């Protein structure tokens, strides 16, 4: 485990991932505004988002999904499904060389969903990651944060529903 991950609150690490994902999509949009489609930049951001959704649904949410957090976590999972649909649309658009206007619309819609999602998740769920994670679950999550990857073929719980 890196010192950064071991010594930092989970909420801070997870929020930093939110900002990094947002920044990656924003970089793609900035280059797109200049008329260039930088598929690698967007693919990197989308892979980071998939990984983040995985770590939440598999490692973060299960030990916290009790009592008062049950409903907020269900909302987060539903919103992941909405995002997943856009991730897949963007992947398909990049693969099919979709017009830049459609890529931009999909990216902006994803950014809107992320903003709404993160504005609820960060103050409602993440403080519980710091205060209520069982030690074994905390350790497992931190190990994943230090280099874990999303398993091939994994999809979020609400991927088909969106």
């Amino acid at each position: 485990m890196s010192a950064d991950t071991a010594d930092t609150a989970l909420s801070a690490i997870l929020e930093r991932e939110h900002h990094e994902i947002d920044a990656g999509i924003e970089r793609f949009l900035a280059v797109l505004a200049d008329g260039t489609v930088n598929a690698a930049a967007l693919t990197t951001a989308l892979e980071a988002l998939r990984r983040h959704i995985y770590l939440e649904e598999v490692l973060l949410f299960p030990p916290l999904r009790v009592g008062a957090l049950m409903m907020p976590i269900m909302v987060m999972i539903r919103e992941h499904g909405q995002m997943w649909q856009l991730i897949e649309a963007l992947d398909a658009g990049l693969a099919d060389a979709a017009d830049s206007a459609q890529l931009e619309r999909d990216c902006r819609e994803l950014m809107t969903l992320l903003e709404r999602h993160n504005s609820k998740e960060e103050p409602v769920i993440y403080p519980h990651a710091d205060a209520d994670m069982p030690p074994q679950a905390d350790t497992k999550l931190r190990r994943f944060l230090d280099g874990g990857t999303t398993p091939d073929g994994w999809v979020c719980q609400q991927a088909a529903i969106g």
Side-chain angles (χ1 to χ4, degrees):
M1 207 174 309
S2 73
D4 179 49
T5 304
D7 299 335
T8 304
L10 283 174
S11 60
I13 297 166
L14 297 168
E15 286 181 32
R16 183 174 60 233
E17 284 198 357
H18 282 175
H19 297 299
E20 291 168 357
I21 292 163
D22 293 349
I25 297 168
E26 289 167 358
R27 280 192 298 278
F28 172 79
L29 287 169
V31 172
L32 190 62
D34 292 335
T36 304
V37 175
N38 183 347
L42 184 56
T43 299
T44 298
L46 296 177
E47 285 302 317
L49 180 54
R50 277 190 189 92
R51 179 182 179 272
H52 187 81
I53 291 171
Y54 171 83
L55 77 86
E56 288 183 347
E57 291 195 6
V58 173
L59 301 169
L60 177 66
F61 293 165
L64 298 177
R65 192 184 295 176
V66 294
L69 282 185
M70 185 175 290
M71 288 311 296
I73 286 175
M74 295 308 296
V75 169
M76 298 297 103
I77 290 170
R78 182 179 46 80
E79 290 177 356
H80 286 169
Q82 294 168 339
M83 289 180 239
W84 203 268
Q85 298 300 317
L86 282 168
I87 292 168
E88 289 181 348
L90 285 161
D91 279 341
L94 291 172
D96 297 339
D99 72 296
S100 59
Q102 183 62 50
L103 290 170
E104 180 180 5
R105 281 191 299 276
D106 288 346
C107 279
R108 294 207 183 281
E109 184 178 347
L110 181 57
M111 290 295 294
T112 299
L113 288 173
L114 285 167
E115 182 180 326
R116 270 188 295 200
H117 179 82
N118 296 348
S119 72
K120 293 180 285 197
E121 188 171 62
E122 290 172 4
V124 175
I125 306 294
Y126 287 179
H128 291 278
D130 297 332
D132 301 329
M133 284 290 282
Q136 186 175 7
D138 183 278
T139 299
K140 189 174 182 180
L141 178 54
R142 287 176 188 277
R143 282 192 184 124
F144 183 83
L145 285 163
D146 279 338
T149 58
T150 308
D152 289 340
W154 184 86
V155 296
C156 74
Q157 292 177 34
Q158 298 287 309
I161 298 168

